[in-house]
Amino acid sequence: METVKQIVLPVFYDVDPSDVKHQQGSFGEGFAKLKDRFESNEEVLKWKAALEKLANMSGVELKNYRKESGFIEEIIQWVDSIIVNQTPLSVAKYPVGIECRKRDIYQHLSIERNDIIRIVGIFGIGGIGKTTISKDIYNQIYSQFEGSCFLKNVRENSKQVGGLMKLQEILLFEILGKKLDIYDADRGMNVIKHRLCSKRVLLILDDVDELVQIEKLVGDRNWFGLGSRIIITTRNQRLLDKAKVDSKHEVMILDDSEALQLFSLHAVWKDEPLDEYVELSKQVLQYAKGLPLALVVLGSDLKGKSTHQWKSALDKYKNIPNRNIQEVLFVSYEGLDNNEKEMFIDIAFFFNGEPLADIKKIFDSCGFFPDDGIDRLKDKCLITIENGYVRMHDLLQDMGREIVRLESPNEPGQHSRLFFHEDVRHVLEESMGTNKVAGMIIEMPKGKEVIRLSRKAFVRMKKLRVLIIRNASFSSGPNHLSNELRVLDWFEYPLQSLLPNFHGNKLIIFKMRRSFIRELSFIMFKNMTIMDFSECHFLTKVPNVSCILNLEKLIATNCKNLVEVHDSVGSLEYLCQLCFFGCSNLRILPASLKLKSLRSLDLSDCSSLRSFPEICCEMKSLTKLILSGTTVKELPLSIWNLTRLDELRLDVCKNLKRLPINIFHRLEHLQSLGIIGDCTNLVKTLGSTTMEDEISSNQEQLQGWVPPTNSSNGSSAVQVLNQSNFFPISSLYSMFNSRDTLTQLNLSETEIVSLPTWIRGFVALRELYLCYCVNLEEILELPPNIELVDAMGCWSLKRFPEVSRIMEFNGSHIRSLHYICLHGCDKMHENIWNFRGTERLLWKGHYNATMSSENEVAKRGDDDVQLKGNEEWVINIEGPHFLEHIRGIAIALVTFFKEDLRHDNFDPDVEITGISSNCVCRIDSEERLFLSNELPASSDIIPNEPDYIVHYDQYRVWMWYSDLESFEVKVLDNLRVQLRILSNPRDPLWVRVWSRYSIRWGANVVYKHESRAHKRRKMD
């Protein structure tokens, strides 16, 4: 299983693992008969060793299940979670030399230890195989963690605008499985810390080159739960020292045998070359110097060629210094035709990491035939395509830049592309550009002086196809731009309009972010697919774009003075993304939308927008509609045409008054709905004759979803805010057709008084957010599969039956529910600690604070145990207990603390043992419920707390529940419930921290009939 990397689940069917391990009992008898058939004792010894190893692995035993069907179901569930959901990374086509190089790394990861957090670094030159090795390790171990993320190309991605925030979003999405928007990298650090501090995760940061990347993505070890593993790959060994990794490992070049095998597999599809190619192959290895990337590229270049062609290629190699790997790679470049060379160089300079679809459009407009050429570059291992993006290894990128530099080593104006900032400055200030310049990217180092742009700087660059300016300041604007431009991306463009002699007929991508441009009426760029005018504060209007038939993306975020968007935008056939986020003065949108290709429409924080367009066709592609922070008063009846919507955000829509009923019948695919904050002008009576008719027509359908009454006063559960305004939670959700798909609902900062009981009809809902609903008094029902309820700051909340059921400690609560936050819910906390169920923690015979002799215990009052160096506690529950009378066993742990201990790795673990039978029942972490009265670790990601929230002692409640199915005996004698508090030995402050906790805990056997429980208590 190790050789072929199989995942194994031992299944012990009518056989004990100890019998398998020692070859005894009936299994031993059968094994003895089998081994007599074989003469070789060596083979039998291998079998014994394998059986011993198999028996020591965690498996499933038939004897632990009452019914065989349960045994089979357990195996099926294991297959679902471990096999079906495996999504390994693509590693190398031929992983030569990886096993021996990862062995030492794997040992230093110490995967078997769950009480530590370990960080390991991998370093070496580019192309040596760091990424390949880390991918292989990831595939081998990621299934052993609660969450995992392989964060690739950290160096490159972090250099982009908002790059670190995007990486933080990817990290959280990969581990948590849900998208969290990060708008500030510092705040993102707290989000990671808060969300992952209790999870055992595997995180790999690939290609890191700055310490800030590690700080923003990993930070401190206490960001992650015990047992987590972090791997960092980099070219900079010193960076790993600064990051204080536990161990670092240099990846060495391949030895001659490995290099020959890797090259041969790519060149001749065999582990070694054919006889007539042996000597030629050895010569190739001399040039590659054991660098895997060079071997792969050269092997692909020589694949399928005759010995004569090999000799010819080797003759070329001899004219290139073998000290420089880039020059070796240049041979592969020489095998390209002219168009392929142009595409390769363009990718090396401008498009590495860009979307393949955009690159193809650009190359197609240049006549490069990209459909064939891109495949050719890919086949020769000069680029890779990953998730729709084009990637090129750094060595190959450097090679491309060196090729261009050698065109004219002493005169950059003769280069076909420019990127080195000093070359760019020289060419633009001295008007040294020529007809040879096809592209230019300008990224000046911070603090560099303004470029004194010559009036004729661009005049002679008549073939300029790509102009990208990302970080540069100019003394003046340009006087000329080439009409050959396919990409014009000018950050902080200094002029108020484009040049009158610039026609842009060949332009594909047009970006003018944070520029001074005021007027766009001149735009007639018929081939353009992307327009981005984000943060153009002087822009007031998006003009007629009807002639731009191929436009796919129109982005104008944070344009503070943008007022109007022309009607033509609403009829663009291929438009897939439309974003006006943060355009606070935007008032006029197209009167109607007929955008069949649109996938995302973002109007968030358009605070002056009062009306929403009519939807004049079925827009099946639109999945995301964001109207947060707008002043839209109503949505049109035609909103039902958004039939595939899965995310709808209406947060802080203060003026929203009307929501058509039909929208909820048609939103069958809705998964996320947000109504955070002020939406208090939504009226319960939707206001128009048309709407009343519609309500009437749906009367029959609504009869099964009557809004509940408030249990305290008999009135409607909807709280009246004034004489005419209601918060229509009833109207909003009682008519949903997406009750089977909605997974997240955010009602934070709304004015609800009672959560309607029909919320239980949302069977797919997993997360419910009610933060700072200050008028909320009761949560009477919850959906059946809910996992998280966050009621932070609901200071009026006093009735929450589900919490009461939890505090009964009898397992009657919703079993999927794992987390409840009640921080600031002062009335609830009073009720919790006055609740009679808490007395069960002190039941005689069910609470035994007697510790092992090596443990110290200090009492706080009569009940609470203060941690004083002890690592485990035991409760002995006297028997007998007849399994047919028992529903299960509930264990509760309450920790009290006054100090801010939110970052501690306080991770309790429970084990139940039948003393006489010696059977052990371990309770999985997913069977644990966590109730909290503490601020999140990342307190700055929540709103400022109101003054009225009183800070009681902070506490945490853990609850475990087991049905004891793993015990097969019919009668249980004494039960031993063992609680372990897993410490953090790597944290020097741990001893001081855990000594400041006080705990209360207990275990309770839950009977099927209360009469038996009462009888049992009397006996005790």
Side-chain angles (χ1 to χ4, degrees):
M1 63 187 177
E2 293 175 346
T3 304
V4 296
K5 300 180 183 178
Q6 289 180 324
I7 300 172
V8 174
L9 173 69
V11 177
F12 300 98
Y13 189 90
D14 281 341
V15 63
D16 194 280
S18 62
D19 290 345
V20 175
K21 180 176 181 178
H22 302 292
Q23 295 88 54
Q24 62 187 19
S26 59
F27 180 87
E29 294 173 4
F31 184 82
K33 293 177 183 178
L34 180 64
K35 71 179 183 180
D36 290 338
R37 302 181 188 176
F38 296 86
E39 299 179 359
S40 173
N41 189 50
E42 181 179 350
E43 191 72 12
V44 174
L45 291 175
K46 289 182 180 178
W47 289 355
K48 286 186 175 182
L51 288 171
E52 182 177 353
K53 189 169 186 177
L54 192 70
N56 288 331
M57 295 176 63
S58 177
V60 290
E61 303 175 46
L62 179 61
K63 69 179 184 180
N64 293 333
Y65 296 83
R66 293 182 179 180
K67 296 182 180 180
E68 188 168 307
S69 59
F71 175 71
I72 296 171
E73 181 64 27
E74 179 71 16
I75 297 173
I76 293 172
Q77 291 179 1
W78 184 88
V79 171
D80 283 340
S81 62
I82 302 299
I83 302 297
V84 176
N85 295 328
Q86 295 296 304
T87 54
L89 300 171
S90 173
V91 188
K93 187 176 182 180
Y94 303 112
V96 176
I98 292 179
E99 276 300 319
C100 63
R101 284 165 178 77
K102 77 173 186 179
R103 190 176 298 126
D104 186 51
I105 301 171
Y106 183 83
Q107 289 175 353
H108 280 84
L109 285 171
S110 303
I111 298 298
E112 70 282 357
R113 294 191 60 183
N114 290 330
D115 60 337
I116 60 174
I117 299 171
R118 192 168 289 279
I119 304 177
V120 171
I122 304 174
F123 70 94
I125 64 171
I128 197 66
K130 304 182 295 296
T131 299
T132 302
I133 291 171
S134 59
K135 282 183 176 181
D136 196 80
I137 293 175
Y138 177 92
N139 287 346
Q140 181 179 345
I141 65 175
Y142 80 97
S143 61
Q144 302 175 38
F145 295 81
E146 293 179 69
S148 61
C149 174
F150 188 98
L151 209 56
K152 60 186 179 181
N153 300 325
V154 172
R155 174 189 58 80
E156 177 185 334
N157 290 327
S158 65
K159 299 294 189 295
Q160 306 298 320
V161 176
L164 280 172
M165 293 180 285
K166 181 64 176 177
L167 288 170
Q168 290 173 334
E169 289 179 352
I170 295 172
L171 187 158
L172 290 165
F173 178 80
E174 292 291 330
I175 293 177
L176 300 176
K178 55 187 175 185
K179 188 177 185 303
L180 299 175
D181 293 325
I182 305 296
Y183 300 107
D184 177 81
D186 292 332
R187 182 168 292 181
M189 295 167 65
N190 283 324
V191 176
I192 294 173
K193 183 165 45 178
H194 173 54
R195 293 297 186 116
L196 304 183
C197 63
S198 62
K199 285 188 176 291
R200 183 172 184 260
V201 304
L202 171 63
L203 173 60
I204 297 182
L205 304 186
D206 180 50
D207 193 19
V208 172
D209 72 338
E210 292 181 0
L211 186 61
V212 67
Q213 296 158 359
I214 299 175
E215 291 172 342
K216 299 297 184 185
L217 298 169
V218 174
D220 204 345
R221 295 169 191 264
N222 64 12
W223 286 20
F224 308 94
L226 285 177
S228 294
R229 297 296 182 268
I230 299 165
I231 299 174
I232 301 171
T233 76
T234 181
R235 301 181 190 186
N236 186 348
Q237 178 181 179
R238 188 176 297 274
L239 191 61
L240 298 176
D241 296 331
K242 293 180 180 179
K244 298 180 180 180
V245 299
D246 296 303
S247 63
K248 59 183 181 180
H249 308 266
E250 182 178 7
V251 182
M252 307 306 295
I253 62 173
L254 301 179
D255 62 34
D256 288 345
S257 175
E258 294 168 331
L260 181 62
Q261 181 185 9
L262 181 60
F263 171 77
S264 299
L265 286 168
H266 282 277
V268 297
W269 301 287
K270 295 184 179 180
D271 285 343
E272 56 185 26
L274 302 174
D275 291 342
E276 61 268 32
Y277 287 91
V278 171
E279 292 303 318
L280 294 171
S281 297
K282 290 179 180 179
Q283 293 181 46
V284 171
L285 301 189
Q286 288 299 314
Y287 290 101
K289 301 296 182 183
L291 191 70
L293 179 64
L295 293 164
V296 170
V297 172
L298 294 174
S300 301
D301 183 60
L302 297 174
K303 180 166 55 181
K305 295 182 179 179
S306 65
T307 56
H308 175 75
Q309 291 172 309
W310 277 40
K311 290 176 183 179
S312 177
L314 285 171
D315 289 338
K316 292 182 179 180
Y317 297 163
K318 291 174 183 177
N319 295 323
I320 301 174
N322 59 20
R323 295 172 302 176
N324 193 333
I325 296 298
Q326 293 177 12
E327 292 179 343
V328 175
L329 300 178
F330 177 75
V331 178
S332 296
Y333 168 81
E334 270 201 327
L336 303 173
D337 65 29
N338 289 337
N339 283 339
E340 291 162 358
K341 287 181 178 179
E342 290 292 317
M343 286 187 285
F344 174 82
I345 297 296
D346 272 358
I347 292 172
F349 272 79
F350 312 120
F351 304 131
N352 191 6
E354 295 298 318
L356 174 62
D358 294 345
I359 294 173
K360 279 190 171 184
K361 291 184 180 77
I362 295 167
F363 288 162
D364 189 56
S365 73
C366 297
F368 290 163
F369 305 103
D371 288 335
D372 179 65
I374 293 290
D375 285 342
R376 174 86 165 138
L377 296 178
K378 182 181 175 183
D379 290 344
K380 292 178 73 65
C381 299
L382 292 171
I383 63 170
T384 59
I385 310 297
E386 300 178 15
N387 299 321
Y389 289 81
V390 174
R391 307 287 180 186
M392 179 181 289
H393 193 279
D394 291 351
L395 287 177
L396 293 166
Q397 186 175 40
D398 292 343
M399 180 192 75
R401 291 171 173 173
E402 179 66 8
I403 289 169
V404 171
R405 188 190 69 82
L406 293 174
E407 293 172 351
S408 179
N410 299 319
E411 184 44 69
Q414 297 293 325
H415 294 174
S416 61
R417 283 92 171 165
L418 293 168
F419 87 98
F420 183 54
H421 62 91
E422 290 301 335
D423 289 344
V424 169
R425 180 185 292 277
H426 171 72
V427 169
L428 295 181
E429 291 187 345
E430 304 299 330
S431 296
M432 298 301 292
T434 68
N435 224 16
K436 293 183 178 180
V437 180
M440 180 186 302
I441 182 168
I442 308 175
E443 293 185 273
M444 303 298 289
K446 289 183 179 179
K448 282 292 181 179
E449 295 178 359
V450 170
I451 296 176
R452 298 186 303 274
L453 192 65
S454 168
R455 291 179 59 83
K456 297 183 178 180
F458 292 100
V459 171
R460 297 171 63 192
M461 301 183 202
K462 298 186 182 300
K463 294 184 179 179
L464 191 67
R465 295 185 284 105
V466 179
L467 178 57
I468 301 173
I469 301 174
R470 290 181 177 152
N471 182 31
S473 297
F474 297 88
S475 60
S476 61
N479 287 331
H480 175 84
L481 287 174
S482 169
N483 283 309
E484 293 295 314
L485 280 172
R486 271 71 173 183
V487 178
L488 177 55
D489 183 352
W490 195 319
F491 186 74
E492 294 185 341
Y493 177 73
L495 302 181
Q496 296 183 3
S497 64
L498 287 183
L499 303 173
N501 59 355
F502 177 66
H503 305 303
N505 290 330
K506 297 181 179 181
L507 205 58
I508 304 295
I509 297 177
F510 185 32
K511 297 182 179 181
M512 288 271 173
R513 291 165 293 183
R514 203 181 290 183
S515 75
F516 291 84
I517 202 156
R518 290 177 178 268
E519 181 59 50
L520 299 176
S521 59
F522 51 82
I523 293 181
M524 302 291 287
F525 308 149
K526 60 181 180 181
N527 291 310
M528 188 164 52
T529 62
I530 298 175
M531 287 176 60
D532 188 347
F533 297 97
S534 297
E535 298 185 69
C536 291
H537 299 313
F538 297 95
L539 186 66
T540 60
K541 181 178 180 180
V542 175
N544 189 335
V545 293
S546 57
C547 63
I548 312 177
L549 301 178
N550 296 315
L551 192 63
E552 297 178 2
K553 297 180 182 179
L554 176 54
I555 302 168
T557 63
N558 291 307
C559 296
K560 300 301 182 183
N561 290 303
L562 181 65
V563 174
E564 180 180 356
V565 177
H566 193 271
D567 277 350
S568 59
V569 173
S571 302
L572 295 170
E573 183 177 359
Y574 300 109
L575 192 67
C576 60
Q577 181 181 353
L578 187 58
C579 181
F580 295 107
F581 164 77
C583 296
S584 54
N585 280 301
L586 181 62
R587 297 181 180 87
I588 304 172
L589 288 177
S592 62
L593 299 181
K594 293 174 284 188
L595 302 170
K596 293 185 177 181
S597 302
L598 192 67
R599 300 192 198 107
S600 172
L601 175 55
D602 188 350
L603 299 171
S604 52
D605 291 335
C606 294
S607 53
S608 299
L609 187 65
R610 297 179 177 275
S611 62
F612 188 81
E614 292 287 340
I615 311 297
C616 292
C617 68
E618 186 174 5
M619 291 168 53
K620 294 182 179 180
S621 299
L622 189 66
T623 59
K624 179 188 292 188
L625 175 58
I626 305 179
L627 298 175
S628 307
T630 65
T631 52
V632 170
K633 294 182 178 180
E634 63 181 16
L635 296 180
L637 292 174
S638 57
I639 199 76
W640 65 269
N641 277 315
L642 308 181
T643 55
R644 303 293 296 186
L645 203 65
D646 62 35
E647 180 178 354
L648 176 61
R649 307 294 303 186
L650 299 171
D651 313 322
V652 200
C653 291
K654 297 182 179 181
N655 292 349
L656 189 61
K657 294 182 178 180
R658 295 184 178 90
L659 282 177
I661 293 177
N662 60 1
I663 185 176
F664 303 117
H665 296 307
R666 298 297 294 257
L667 296 184
E668 297 179 355
H669 302 279
L670 196 66
Q671 296 182 26
S672 180
L673 175 64
I675 309 186
I676 302 173
D678 252 341
C679 291
T680 54
N681 279 325
L682 278 169
V683 291
K684 185 178 179 182
T685 304
L686 298 181
S688 69
T689 304
T690 304
M691 296 306 300
E692 291 170 358
D693 291 342
E694 187 170 358
I695 292 174
S696 176
S697 67
N698 288 281
Q699 197 73 32
E700 183 177 344
Q701 183 172 353
L702 295 177
Q703 285 177 356
W705 292 87
V706 179
T709 58
N710 188 304
S711 60
S712 62
N713 56 27
S715 63
S716 170
V718 180
Q719 172 68 28
V720 177
L721 300 179
N722 52 48
Q723 290 185 349
S724 60
N725 291 336
F726 296 79
F727 186 82
I729 291 295
S730 308
S731 300
L732 272 172
Y733 302 111
S734 64
M735 295 164 283
F736 260 95
N737 244 10
S738 55
R739 291 188 294 271
D740 295 338
T741 60
L742 193 70
T743 59
Q744 183 186 95
L745 181 57
N746 197 333
L747 299 174
S748 298
E749 300 181 60
T750 54
E751 300 291 334
I752 56 174
V753 172
S754 173
L755 187 68
T757 57
W758 44 252
I759 193 72
R760 64 179 178 266
F762 288 77
V763 295
L765 198 66
R766 298 290 186 269
E767 299 179 9
L768 177 61
Y769 295 92
L770 300 165
C771 304
Y772 297 96
C773 293
V774 295
N775 293 326
L776 182 63
E777 296 181 2
E778 58 185 10
I779 302 174
L780 301 179
E781 296 281 358
L782 289 174
N785 297 302
I786 195 72
E787 296 175 0
L788 177 151
V789 178
D790 191 344
M792 179 190 303
C794 297
W795 69 283
S796 298
L797 183 63
K798 54 188 176 183
R799 287 180 293 279
F800 197 162
E802 190 63 28
V803 172
S804 301
R805 283 188 282 271
I806 291 169
M807 300 308 293
E808 288 279 0
F809 304 117
N810 60 15
S812 63
H813 64 280
I814 297 173
R815 298 294 294 275
S816 62
L817 186 59
H818 299 314
Y819 179 80
I820 300 177
C821 180
L822 295 174
H823 178 76
C825 303
D826 304 336
K827 294 181 180 179
M828 275 302 302
H829 303 314
E830 292 176 6
N831 292 341
I832 287 174
W833 300 116
N834 291 329
F835 182 64
R836 60 181 177 82
T838 56
E839 298 172 359
R840 298 189 179 189
L841 290 171
L842 306 178
W843 281 351
K844 181 180 177 182
H846 290 208
Y847 177 77
N848 187 337
T850 304
M851 306 299 168
S852 304
S853 58
E854 67 269 21
N855 292 329
E856 291 183 46
V857 180
K859 293 280 187 175
R860 192 184 91 171
D862 296 328
D863 318 317
D864 304 337
V865 180
Q866 183 175 338
L867 309 187
K868 292 278 284 188
N870 39 294
E871 296 180 356
E872 63 182 41
W873 291 264
V874 173
I875 292 178
N876 292 308
I877 301 179
E878 297 179 1
H881 303 285
F882 296 89
L883 282 182
E884 62 180 340
H885 299 153
I886 294 174
R887 183 182 297 154
I889 187 169
I891 300 102
L893 168 68
V894 185
T895 63
F896 302 90
F897 52 96
K898 288 190 175 181
E899 301 177 55
D900 185 0
L901 305 178
R902 288 170 282 155
H903 302 286
D904 298 341
N905 289 320
F906 190 97
D907 191 13
D909 179 63
V910 170
E911 180 179 286
I912 306 170
T913 306
I915 296 177
S916 59
S917 62
N918 206 32
C919 294
V920 177
C921 174
R922 300 184 187 277
I923 304 182
D924 191 274
S925 61
E926 292 186 357
E927 297 179 82
R928 184 174 72 185
L929 185 144
F930 182 47
L931 188 150
S932 169
N933 175 36
E934 59 174 327
L935 278 169
S938 51
S939 58
D940 59 344
I941 68 169
I942 62 174
N944 293 327
E945 288 189 285
D947 295 335
Y948 49 71
I949 291 185
V950 180
H951 289 276
Y952 279 73
D953 286 358
Q954 295 189 81
Y955 62 83
R956 302 169 182 166
V957 176
W958 283 266
M959 179 169 174
W960 296 262
Y961 183 82
S962 173
D963 53 18
L964 303 178
E965 286 186 356
S966 59
F967 295 110
E968 285 228 318
V969 295
K970 294 183 179 179
V971 180
L972 290 173
D973 194 6
N974 297 337
L975 293 177
R976 183 175 188 266
V977 183
Q978 184 173 354
L979 173 72
R980 295 188 183 92
I981 307 297
L982 304 178
S983 62
N984 186 358
R986 301 194 65 84
D987 186 351
L989 299 178
W990 173 255
V991 174
R992 288 197 293 115
V993 168
W994 54 242
S995 66
R996 290 175 289 179
Y997 281 98
S998 293
I999 72 168
R1000 175 186 294 181
W1001 84 297
N1004 179 34
V1005 175
V1006 182
Y1007 290 87
K1008 295 179 179 178
H1009 302 289
E1010 179 61 26
S1011 59
R1012 292 186 181 275
H1014 179 70
K1015 182 179 179 182
R1016 179 72 203 182
R1017 287 195 290 272
K1018 288 185 66 176
M1019 292 172 58
D1020 292 336

